[in-house]
Every structure is written in structure tokens, then in C-alpha cells.
Amino acid sequence: MTLDLTRRSLLKFMGGAVVGSVLSPLPWKLLDDAAIWTQNWSWIARPPRGPVSHMFTTCQLCPVGCGMRARLIGASFVSAWPVVGDPAAAGTLCPLGLAAAQMRYHPSRVRGVARRARAAADPAWRIVDADATTGELGQRLAACRSRGAGDSIAIVDLRPGRAMSRLYREFLARQGGGIYATAPDAWQASAAAFAGMATVGALAPAPDPARARTVLNFGAPLTAGWRGRDIVPHAAGGPRLIQVDPAATITAARADRWLPARPGSEAPVALALAHVLVFEALAADARVNALADLPHENGSTLRTVLADFAPERVAANSGLTPAQLRDTARELAAGRPALVLGVGDAGGGPLGSEEEAAIWNLNLLLGAVGPDGALGVRPADTALFDEPAGPAARSLSDIPDGSLDVLLVDGSFPGVPVSAEQLRRKLRGPDGLLVALSPYAGGAAGTPADLILPVFAPGEWVEDVPAPALAARSSYSWATAVAVPAPFALHPAEWLAQLEAASGLVVPPEGGKSGHEAELKRRAGVLQSRGSGQVFDPADGNTTDVAAMSDPDLLAGALARGARWSDKATLTLADRDVRPLGQGGGLAARWRSLAGGRADAAKPGATGSLLLMAGGGLAPAAGAITAPVLNKLYRESGLQPGSRQLAVSATTARALGLAEGKSALLTTAHGRRRVKVRFDNSLPPDVARIAAGPDPADMGDPAASADDRTDIPDLCGAAERPVWRLVRADLQEAHDGNA
Amino acid sequence: MNDNDGDPKPRIEIIPTTNPEQERSARRNAAWARVWPLLGLSAGLLAGWVALPFFLYGHQEQPLAFNHAVHTKDAGMTCDNCHGFRADGSFAGIPAVKACADCHSEAQGTSKAERRLVDEFVTPGREIPWLVYARQPDNVYFSHAPHVRRAGIECRRCHGDQGLSTGTPVYQFNRISTYSRNIWGPRISGGGPNPWDSMKMSDCTDCHRERGVRDHCLMCHK
Amino acid sequence: METHSKATVCYAMVIDLDKCVGCGTCNVACAIENNVSVPPPEALENRGLTWMRTQRVDNGKAWPDHRTVTVPIPCQHCEHAPCIHVCPVTAVQLDESTGIIGQIPTRCMGCRYCMAACPYHARYFNWFDPKWPEGLQDTLNPDVAPRMRGVAEKCNFCHGRLDRARELAAAEGRPAAEPVHYTPACAEACPHGAITFGNRLEEGGPIAALEKKPEAFRLLEALGTAPKVTYLSREPWIRRIGLSRLDRVRGHGDGPEGA
């Protein structure tokens, strides 16, 4: 018997099945689940789950060292928030700090000891064997030591004054006299320029705007920044602000007086103001006269040098009228205690020793130094912590080019204004090795390096944070560990000990990780035994006097919980302990040569239709590795300029045939870079400005070509001259369609 | 037109086949013709009600056998001894292995599960990778505090008699949506006989409506 | 019994433009709190996601008389929100117990009517899959669900923080859900104290007082949307920016005194 299976019967079966399944949950459930499935693509990120907790620490992403409240979900460090009441930065946190949790997962993080052959056409990083590499490096050090060529080894410490800094110096001392160098930013350079002014002790300047009635400021966005270095605006009870700024920035527009001086005229403006003070506004003040008559150089006095800088002579080149200069000087004299801050736009590197000397001398003449002034002093970090004399710190620019076999760069600090080109030039030929102790294959240390040792990222280990340059008071805190360290990350001190062992030396107990921890504890002990200052506890917002702490380990315990020690008061200098800057060095002659302003100290024969200013960004410096989310500020919104946007006034740009948003090539005598033109009518005509701040590539975006990766310091010739904030440049439309 | 009236036209007579086998077959096919749709219907119903749950849900064993009853009855513990609130008001859910270690730093009894707890989790300090029956998706916000602390709803209202269970049921997950079967409920049509059998959005809104709580999307979604 | 009374809470924000310097801290704090992803580098400029957009507006004059103001623009949480009425799938809702306009991404079908309807350009669309660099998902905030490609999103006054505050209030045994005090990420992070957030209906509270000041204004008041975000400025030219529409695409639109 057979059953005749016809098409009709199959259709009947299917019809029945459809009716049956419609009467069952099958289609409805599948539809529902499919809808939910579209909400759960596997590539949609899953946030961590778990209990919420908080830890207190210190931000390590710029020298200010703000207090930070780390939010943890389970063991995951998810975000950082400001600590209300913290003395640093008035209890605020800037975008760099807010995004600190992302730094551990930065796309450019190196996941092992990485090496590249720079001579190759396409130098790519390769992960190599850690022990073999350390061994090879140790042999190099041993070879240098045996030849007696200690000065062919150098360590560049981008964040001096830490416990780690001491370990570096001791390491070099044991290696037989290597060079310990720093690469000062605008603030550090300004603080360092003060050194010759005080004739007693190792002192650092501690200007305190809170004690001033008037503040004269050269260029820095002092009331429109991220608060790290900001002062309280006059409207909120702060001092009156006189801003010297070429551009109509928000700080300039809201200042009580704005001097729209030409870029580069800082020194003549400061000297003209000093001239008016000495010869007119404060001519009857015996103290000012005594200071002005102190010996300067070659038998002259400050008074005789200043005679050449009458406002009428300076006015023409500074873009200001003599009346503006005279009024400003009178206002400063009447508004004492007055303070002059001279870091310029900090993104453009140091101002130059001539400007800094003129500015510190202006402070001196205003009586800012002394018990009634706003310019206190504090012990230098080395003096605060009783450090033994190791190799003295030198500035990176003092190391002769082509003299080093091994250059170690501490890049635990992701952003400082170091020119990659400048670091490479210090090496002796192609065999020289630039070693970066850095979590990232980028930034100041990673960009020029041949070899990267993957050290801990911020938040993964305990480090100390000394007071920033030009802080009103000494302070000290620990950046405690808030995150589980990456398995491949190295402790810098531990690796240094391995290197020392590999170079054939016996590592003493003060080396290695335990030595670093012992040094941190020793520093806490030193502060506690000094008995001065107070401790801010972020957990409850209370402040305790150190003198009231009985247990000798109490301060170390508080620091480990994220507390901050700060000195209550600063020291003051008596007039007999100060002298005007400029003894020797032909400063008066250099001042006179700058009377027309610092326009172009570039290569001879360099021309350019534009005056290019470096600066205008709030990020600490060029070559900064910053968190991917900061692309929101630098790429997506364009709120912060970043180093791909060239700001220029609409009139100037149109005269060059450039429209807003156009891709253009910016050429100087030192290099060129592709930029995007942004109209900024706050800039004077024929002046362009580019931030030395981060580039989207520093936030994990791929870079397109070499023209996109030229550092701003290198573009401005930082490898060849110490003052690189101004340079002549040409701008023309880029026609390669690669915008 | 009527076929039966006396029409003079010659009548066309359909002569039935004489083959009895063919006749039977035709009759059978006619019967099947009525059965095919019914067969399809029952196949469809079977697929939806029986086969679907079989194929839709995957099964996973819990990492450790846990007996609630031993803790609540024999040891006299209550729910909040282990499932408590944290200081910030959030609910701790399944306790960390540290809480187990408070009592089980060493084995108290002789059960195999307890020995495994001590050897594999407590001693090495490893968290137990429990599969959570009540886990809601990432876009759902639920907080125990307003329900338990403010409204005084018993644990049992949503979780049933978990506290009396003697073992860990097999964790079933939806292969498409990836969620636990306990969200949808044991019945393939959703829910079950008890109010705690399912944890769908409609369960939340029904209860809110019953209690006169204002509903708003952002109250339960994030 | 948990019931919300309409009359007690209406969250509102006041932004003092004389204090704002356009530093972008609010923008980043918001992105971190709310898991706002960064679109890929090849994305067009107007396809970013910024719940707290900061618009730069100038007075249209050349140096040295040039002046700039930066205007942070979160969702304005309008009392009469155009986005609610145009949404075909009810993915946008006004919570009458808090005044917050909620956007439910899982309900959104991506038609972008709400974006066209919003006069403040406060809504953003996920043109790309929200991707984070490897490992970075470990730093996301569990209080806010990550979105997916093809849905709109916007500021909800940090509802995740409100949820946490409500949870704490309930755990502490406070009888009613409202009012609770909390601070959105932007207001917490603003280094210049330009953002004040609170309950508009709180008697003697800061918001009600600030909203009554003579320098207060709202954006596009003539449209009748009744925003819950109020701006303050003593400068008349800045107060006039509320009269005209601000361009969404980044750039430096000519101000009210512009040519």
C-alpha cells in the first residue's frame, strides 16, 4: 500500500503547521528574543559590575598634582573625580585628570619590552626578550664605565624632585658620573631663573597671588585655564589683574587692564615698566632706590641699565602707547603688594632668560620680595628632603650634541615640552641608544626612543608628587596605587636595579623597589620631624597640624591614604639677601638687542609672512599622551585647539586665500606641518597661533603622514634654540587632497 | 438546475473502477486529506510548545552545589545574613567568597560541596563564578533599597522560596537573547503559576500599577 | 508607598556665562560619567557625540575689540519639549516627578525626528558602533548603559547619579523618593563654578534665586519650549545670543552684532 503524497497534501500540512505555530509561542517568542538580541550585540561594551568604592590619590598627569578621588567598581578603576577642599587647584580636576582611568588602556601602551631599528624604512616596534635586553644595556654601561666615559651616559628626568629622581642620581653616581638632566617647562624655567636672585640657601620662588592686590601677568591664561595654575578672578575676590597678551583671550578680556603687546615684546615691556617705577612712580621710595642702585654688571646698576628703556623708546615696537605703559606702572605702584608672573603662554616653552630676568627684577623693584610682598620663597625640594649631593641637575640643552652613548628618559610623566629632535641629537651617532622608561610608545620619551621599557601607568604604583614650580607653598603627597598593575608592567626602580646588576655592580639596599619604598617613607619621616605644615585628609576634608601628630609613622600612613602635606607659610627674604638678576652674562646688552622685541631668532635668512606663536592650548605640553576621550575636546568639538589647528584671524587667512577649515601647510625654517585653518579673530593681524598641546594621534588616533606628526617644538626649532615660542612661518593651501 | 428531474438528455454515468484496491486507496487519500491540516496543526503546536523550549534554552551547571535550606533551617540564618545592603545603599546580591569564609574557613561538615568550597574557592581566595538566575540586562536599573527598605516587600515576593531550596537548579539561558530563563519564566508562554516565576518588564509595571507607583521609563532603564 | 508628587521636585540648571571659559571640563566629565563614545577619526565633524556641547560665539568684531563667549549647551529639558511629540515610538518621555526628559535608547528606532525637532541641537545620533580601545570597557560606568549604533542619545541630567542618590535615600530609610540632592558630573567638575544644579521648586534654594536675576535668559525663549536650563550674563551682547539659533556645526558663527 502506498500513500499518495501530493503537493496539495503538503500545502495542507504546512497550512496547519502555520496555524498551529501561530497558536503557540513560537513566532512571538522568537520575535521578542530577536529584538532583544539586537540590543546585545557582542561588540557593545559591557561595563564592569560590582560594589562601588572610592580611593584617594594624587594625579600624575601634570606637575600640579591635584587631589583625585578614584571611583572603583569591584577592582576596576573606572573614573576620577575632584576632591572638594583639596588645596591643590582649589579642589578641581582638569579633563586630563578626569580621564586618568583611561590612561591604563591607552592604545599606545607598550605590552612588553619593545625595540625598533630606527634606520629601517618602516621602524615598527617589536617585543623583545626583557632579560636579554637589560643584559645588553648593562654591558654597554659597563663598557662606558671601564673607559672612564661616565659622561656618555645620561638620564633625563622629566619630573625632578621625586623619590625616583634620587634613585636615578644615586644610580648614576655609582656608575661613575653620568649626567642627570632635566627638561624644564615654562614654569620650571621661570622658577630656575630666580635662582641667582636670593643670595642665601637653596630656595625656590613661591609667588602667592592671594597675598597680592595687583597681579601683572605675561600671557598665561591665569583666569581661564583648568584651575591648576589659575588665580582667583578679581570679581570673586582675587587680585586686580593686568594681562599682557597679544590676543584678545578670555583672560585678557576679563582682566582689569589688558595690554595688547606685540608677541615677543615681554622683555622691553617689563623693562619699560621698571623704568617708570624707578624714574617716576616710585622715585621717592627709599627702598626702591636702594634696590635700583645695587650693582648690576660691569660696574653699572639696575638704574643705569633701565635708563635706556623709557616707554617712549619701547612703545613703537611693543604695540603699546607710552601712556599705557606709564599708567600701568603707576597702577602697579599704587596697587602694592603687586606681583609679576612671567611664564608667558606656558604651551610655548620657556620665555627666555632675558625676559625672566627682567620680570624677576620688576618684582624686586615692586617690593614683592620681603615681608609685605607677595613673593615668598620656599626650600628647594632637594633642601626640603636633605638630599646628599649626587650629580647636580643639568638642563637638557646644556648636554653637548652627539656626546651620549646611552640616554635614559623617564617618561612616566606623559606630557612635557621636550623636542624629540633635541633628544635624538644628544646621541653619539647611529650606535647611541635612546631608552624610554615609559608605558607608551609615544609622548615625550616614547616618540624618539629606540627601546621602551614598559613601566607602570599612572595609578598602578605608589609615587610621590612634590610641589609644582612657582607654587605658593611647599607641598608633598603620594600618588597611591588605585588600579591593579598590568601584568607586563615594570617597576622603574626594580628595573634600574636589574640594569645595575647587569652592568656588573652590586645593587645596594637603597636600590630597587624596596629602596624606593624606603625613600618614600624616609621623606614622610623628614616632613614629620620638621614639625611644620599641615595635612589635608581627603576622606573627611579635615586639616591637621603636623606638630600635633605624635606617632612618627602617622604622616606616612596619611600619605598612603591620599592625604596631602602642605606648608602653612612661606619664608620671606630680607632686602639684604637679594640682588637684581644679571650679574655677568652681558644681560644688559642682550636686553638692548631685544628692544625691538623677540621676533625671529630662527635660522639666518628665514622669511615668512606670518609670526607664528606656539601656545594657546591648556594641555600641559607638546608630546603629551592623553586619554582617548580627550578626542572630544581636540578632534570632535574643536573646543581646545590641539596641534592640528592653526588659529589665524579671518582677514589674514583670506588675504592668503584660505577659508575656514581648509587644510594648509605651515612651513618654518625648521620643518613643516599640515594644519587645519581655524578663524580666530581674537588674534592680531599677521599672527598665527598653534598649540603645542596634544594631537589626536596622541589620543590613539592613527596619524596620516610625517607632515602630520611634526612636533610643534620641532617646528619652531626647539632643538636649535632655547626660546622657541615665536618663529616666522609661511602658510599655503595644501593641494594634495589628503585633508 | 436539478440533476434529478426527468431530463431526456442521455445520462452520463460514472462507472466506478472495479479495482477494489484502487477504491480503498482513494478512500484512504480522502481521509488523509482531512488529516493533513490537523497533522500540520499539531506539529506546529508541538514545535511551539514542546520543541521550542527544548532548543531555545541552553543548560549550564552551577560551579558549586549550594543548599539554602541547610543555612536557613539548620543554621537558622536569614536572607540578609548573606544578601545584605552595602553602606552606599546598594544591594550586595550574591555574597563574595569572603562572606562564606567567615564560617567556612575550614570545612564544618562532611559534604563534598563544602570541601570543594574550602579547597577551590575559600583557601585560594577565588570568587565563585555563580550563574545568576535573576540577572537583568545592562539597560535595566533595579535597586533593592526602595523595594525592600521603603516599600517593605518581602524577598519571597520576587525570588520565591529560594531560601528553602536544597540544591542549585540548572541555569538555563536563552540562546538568542542570552538572558536567564528565570527572567521569562518556566512556561514558554511566559511566567508561571507564581508571581516570582518571571522578572519581565510587565512584572515590574504590573506591581507598580497595583501599588500606585508612578511609572516612567528612566525609573527602570538607564 | 512610593509615590511621587509632581509639585515638589523640578530639577533645573543655571549656567553663568561670565564664569565659563570654555575649557571643556564639563564636556569630558559628562562623557566619562555617561559612557559617551568617541566616533572614529574618519567621522564627519557633525557626527560627534557630546551631551554637553560647548558652543563658541563671538561679538563679530575684529581684534582688539573681539570678544568670545562659550556657551555649554546640554539638553535643555524643555517643559514643552518638541522631541517628545515627534517620537513615533515613545522613546522620549517627560518625567513629571523630576522634570527630566528621558531618552530610552533601547526603545529608539533611529528615525532622528527628535533631532530635527530639537531647536538646541542637543540630541546626538550614534552613527557608528560605540567602540572603545581594547580594555577600556573596564573603565565604563555601570550606572549608565552603553548605547548601540543607530539610536539617538542625549543628556538626562545624569540620571544614573539620581538613581544612586535615590537608592541611598531609600536605604537610609527616608520615606519618600523625592526630593534627593545630587550633582550631575558637569556641575561637579566645572573648575570655575559656572554650573549650578538643583531643585527649582525648593524654597529658598539657589536655583529659584538665580533664575529670577535680571541677567538670566534662556535660549530661544520665543519658541515657548520653556527650557529648564537658564543662562546668566551681565553683558548685553551675550544675553542677545539667546534670541537666535546657534549653529550646531563647530565653528564661530557670527554673533548678534556680526555683519
Side-chain angles (χ1 to χ4, degrees), chain A residues 19 296 327 628 671:
Chain A
V19 173
H296 191 245
D327 287 350

Side-chain angles (χ1 to χ4, degrees), chain A residues 17 39 179 192-193 203 215 226 282 299 348 359 404 417 420 431 470 480 495 504 606 719:
Chain A
Q39 300 168 10
I179 300 168
L203 296 170
V215 168
W226 281 332
L282 294 171
I359 285 160
L404 298 176
D431 290 342
L470 299 187
T480 54
W495 179 77

Side-chain angles (χ1 to χ4, degrees), chain C residues 101-112:
Chain C
I101 309 281
Q103 162 80 21
I104 307 301
T106 41
R107 201 170 176 127
C108 175
M109 63 174 201
C111 67
R112 290 183 277 132

Side-chain angles (χ1 to χ4, degrees), chain A residues 97-414:
Chain A
L98 286 168
Q102 297 199 346
M103 296 303 286
R104 296 166 50 234
Y105 299 108
H106 196 282
S108 71
R109 184 137 196 214
V110 186
R111 290 164 184 277
V113 177
R115 192 160 195 169
R116 66 177 168 187
R118 291 192 63 94
D122 180 25
W125 290 106
R126 283 177 298 111
I127 302 293
V128 294
D129 182 63
D131 292 338
T133 312
T134 309
E136 183 204 322
L137 206 55
Q139 281 163 14
R140 271 191 185 233
L141 296 185
C144 289
R145 208 169 54 231
S146 64
R147 322 200 280 277
D151 58 356
S152 63
I153 306 167
I155 294 182
V156 175
D157 186 358
L158 300 180
R159 214 164 21 144
R162 297 169 296 154
M164 207 49 227
S165 309
R166 181 188 166 124
L167 263 64
Y168 286 133
R169 290 168 69 178
E170 288 173 350
F171 169 85
L172 287 171
R174 291 194 294 269
Q175 288 292 337
I179 300 168
Y180 173 77
T182 59
D185 64 14
W187 298 84
Q188 289 161 347
S190 179
F194 175 86
M197 189 171 252
T199 53
V200 285
L203 296 170
D208 188 356
R211 295 207 325 249
R213 272 176 64 207
T214 316
V215 168
L216 171 69
N217 173 45
F218 285 87
L222 272 197
T223 55
W226 281 332
R227 288 304 297 277
R229 307 279 199 172
D230 277 18
I231 64 172
V232 179
H234 187 42
R240 281 177 63 78
L241 180 66
I242 305 172
Q243 177 84 354
V244 183
D245 206 328
T249 57
I250 285 186
T251 305
R254 293 185 188 167
D256 298 282
R257 180 190 278 270
W258 171 37
L259 298 177
R262 289 284 297 162
S265 62
E266 290 90 350
V269 167
L271 291 165
L273 293 174
H275 174 97
V276 181
L277 288 180
V278 170
F279 292 99
E280 184 198 320
L282 294 171
D285 191 316
R287 192 171 159 219
V288 172
N289 281 321
L291 289 166
D293 287 330
L294 286 173
H296 191 245
E297 60 176 12
N298 300 337
S300 66
T301 63
L302 196 53
R303 186 191 299 274
T304 53
V305 175
L306 289 175
D308 290 345
F309 292 93
E312 288 70 21
R313 297 177 68 172
V314 165
N317 289 316
S318 67
L320 301 174
T321 63
Q324 273 177 311
L325 289 166
R326 286 189 189 278
D327 287 350
T328 306
R330 286 183 203 124
E331 196 178 328
L332 279 172
R336 288 183 290 169
L339 187 64
V340 188
L341 292 173
V343 293
D345 190 326
L351 262 183
S353 56
E354 297 83 9
E355 284 88 349
E356 275 151 359
I359 285 160
W360 287 124
N361 284 345
L362 187 57
N363 269 311
L364 195 69
L365 294 173
L366 281 166
V369 177
D372 308 325
L375 178 58
V377 283
R378 56 188 178 86
D381 287 323
T382 44
L384 189 64
F385 296 115
D386 315 321
E387 292 207 347
R394 290 163 66 175
S395 174
L396 176 64
S397 46
D398 295 342
I399 302 177
D401 284 356
S403 67
L404 298 176
D405 280 330
V406 178
L407 174 57
L408 252 79
V409 186
D410 177 318
S412 59
F413 187 35

Side-chain angles (χ1 to χ4, degrees), chain B residues 36-51:
Chain B
W36 277 120
L38 286 177
L39 211 60
L41 186 77
S42 42
L45 289 170
L46 268 175
W49 291 98
V50 182

Side-chain angles (χ1 to χ4, degrees), chain A residues 514-615:
Chain A
S514 56
H516 182 250
E517 277 162 9
E519 172 63 10
L520 291 177
K521 288 228 172 64
R522 187 192 71 82
R523 289 179 165 221
V526 167
L527 290 178
Q528 188 160 358
S529 61
R530 279 178 87 235
S532 73
Q534 54 196 13
V535 177
F536 169 78
D537 186 343
D540 53 17
N542 290 336
T543 304
T544 323
D545 281 344
V546 173
M549 291 182 155
S550 48
D551 188 337
D553 292 333
L554 226 49
L555 183 56
L559 291 173
R561 291 192 305 273
R564 178 188 305 275
W565 171 83
S566 46
D567 223 345
K568 264 185 182 166
T570 48
L571 313 168
T572 50
L573 282 170
D575 283 352
R576 64 172 180 280
D577 294 331
V578 289
R579 62 178 181 198
L581 286 172
Q583 263 83 359
L587 185 64
R590 283 188 282 142
W591 276 343
R592 271 182 222 111
S593 74
L594 285 182
R598 187 189 284 278
D600 185 18
K603 284 178 181 165
T607 56
S609 57
L610 291 174
L611 189 57
L612 178 67
M613 296 162 64

